[in-house]
Amino acid sequence: MSACEDTPVETNSSGNCAGHNEPFAVSRRTVLGVGAAVVAGSLPARGFGQGSEIAEIQIELLPGDPAHSLQLQTTVNGQPVSILIDARTSLLDLLRERLALTGAKKGCDHAQCGACTVHVDGRRVASCMTLAAKMEGRQVLTIEGLSGSEGLHPMQQAFIDHDALQCGYCTPGQIMAAVACVAEGNAVSREQIQEFMSGNICRCGAYVGIVAAIEDAAAKMGRG
């Protein structure tokens, strides 16, 4: 039998691999076997028990570990909240995963895109990079709490009127930042609005409508 028989390599009439004068001493099957043995030999000698120990370590580090827990007292959208959290939980994860307030979006998770923008004590923050533990005794406002019993907030209505959105993913963060822009007195000119809103990225490119919506809402909010 040719040494090359178990490979797809073409052989010549003498049984050697085509293009070679000497027969192959090692087949592909042998190479694969040796490679598997090398990989297996490089692994720790311990069996499945080690994987179980790794899983146990990961479980210990998951949020909710009593060693890292604290009781948080805060106010979200006007409602008092008392909740046991992991001290390492971000405000964004608290809102989305624990309180089911999914308006704030997780975009870059590095405070670069603005999709997670909410208000804390009236000022905008990137909730993805803000520790929930820092909300003790503070007032948190999300897009879900922006409108009142009388209907949509003027900024929400302005975004609709000026088509200031396309896919809508960044819109909650855009609106929360826009409200802060007006409230902090930064909506006095188009250039100033653009500068203030530069931290909120719209990948659909609805910037013209966003600026127009802010100008419109600012007048209705008495800040324009």
Side-chain angles (χ1 to χ4, degrees):
M1 178 185 295
S2 168
C4 299
E5 187 172 319
D6 63 349
T7 72
V9 180
E10 181 182 356
T11 59
N12 56 29
S13 58
S14 63
N16 297 338
C17 291
H20 295 272
N21 295 324
E22 298 295 334
F24 274 93
V26 181
S27 68
R28 182 178 61 178
R29 184 175 301 161
T30 303
V31 172
L32 292 175
V34 172
V38 171
V39 172
S42 66
L43 295 175
R46 303 174 67 178
F48 291 104
Q50 184 180 15
S52 300
E53 291 177 6
I54 293 174
E56 290 172 3
I57 293 173
Q58 292 173 340
I59 290 172
E60 290 175 358
L61 296 179
L62 287 175
D65 182 355
H68 302 94
S69 296
L70 59 85
Q71 190 72 30
L72 175 67
Q73 307 284 342
T74 187
T75 302
V76 180
N77 297 334
Q79 300 297 318
V81 173
S82 177
I83 188 170
L84 186 67
I85 64 168
D86 187 288
R88 300 159 294 181
T89 301
S90 70
L91 175 57
L92 179 60
D93 285 340
L94 171 64
L95 294 172
R96 292 183 58 84
E97 306 299 334
R98 301 293 304 280
L99 303 181
L101 296 172
T102 56
K105 299 298 188 289
K106 182 171 287 192
C108 65
D109 217 18
H110 286 81
Q112 299 295 314
C113 70
C116 68
T117 303
V118 300
H119 293 179
V120 175
D121 293 340
R123 300 187 68 85
R124 63 172 179 164
V125 302
S127 60
C128 72
M129 295 292 287
T130 302
L131 283 174
K134 295 178 67 176
M135 298 303 104
E136 180 69 28
R138 305 179 76 176
Q139 300 279 337
V140 180
L141 180 67
T142 73
I143 191 70
E144 289 89 348
L146 191 60
S147 59
S149 58
E150 299 179 355
L152 295 177
H153 187 279
M155 190 64 73
Q156 292 173 306
Q157 188 61 55
F159 265 65
I160 295 171
D161 295 341
H162 292 273
D163 293 326
L165 66 153
Q166 290 187 41
C167 78
Y169 191 85
C170 73
T171 305
Q174 296 278 0
I175 291 175
M176 297 305 290
V179 171
C181 175
V182 176
E184 295 172 19
N186 292 302
V188 296
S189 70
R190 180 162 295 189
E191 292 73 23
Q192 200 163 353
I193 292 172
Q194 291 172 338
E195 176 66 23
F196 185 91
M197 295 294 294
S198 62
N200 289 75
I201 297 173
C202 174
R203 290 176 174 83
C204 298
Y207 295 112
V208 173
I210 290 171
V211 173
I214 295 173
E215 291 178 317
D216 184 7
K220 295 175 180 177
M221 294 167 65
R223 300 293 184 94

